[in-house]
Amino acid sequence: MVDGDWVYVSGTTGFDYATMTISEDVVEQAEQCLRNIEAALAEAKCTFADVVRVRYLLPDRADFEPCWPVLRRWRGPVGRHDAAVSPIPTCSRRL
């Protein structure tokens, strides 16, 4: 969403829209998610260099460590963005 000089990208996943699939591998999902964000930013005539805040939402906190090299490569120099890791609450009951 573009609002004046601000661009908001939210709710992005590792779904590959070209193949209509999502990988079982969390690192591949992280890579694809960032490609999806890059495409959304490009539509708004922006790049990752314009990003000022990043929040990562992961269902399992243990997934952060294997994904970190991918996230770090895409986000640029350390300290350029705020980064928060929030586990996504899950429910074991089926509705």
Side-chain angles (χ1 to χ4, degrees), residues 1-39:
M1 181 181 89
V2 177
D3 182 18
D5 290 339
W6 292 90
V7 177
Y8 299 91
V9 179
S10 179
T12 310
T13 69
F15 190 80
D16 183 340
Y17 293 95
T19 63
M20 301 304 283
T21 60
I22 190 164
S23 173
E24 293 289 325
D25 181 84
V26 70
V27 175
E28 289 177 24
Q29 287 183 32
E31 190 76 52
Q32 183 60 51
C33 181
L34 292 162
R35 283 193 293 266
N36 293 344
I37 293 169
E38 180 179 52

Side-chain angles (χ1 to χ4, degrees), residues 52-63:
V52 295
R53 182 169 183 204
V54 177
R55 182 172 185 186
Y56 308 110
L57 301 172
L58 303 166
D60 185 345
R61 184 178 216 101
D63 289 338

Side-chain angles (χ1 to χ4, degrees), residues 71-94:
L71 302 172
R72 187 173 176 191
R73 180 170 31 87
W74 278 85
R75 77 184 190 103
V78 172
R80 200 184 75 196
H81 305 149
D82 291 328
V85 179
S86 299
I88 299 172
T90 58
C91 178
S92 60
R93 295 184 351 200
R94 291 186 178 247

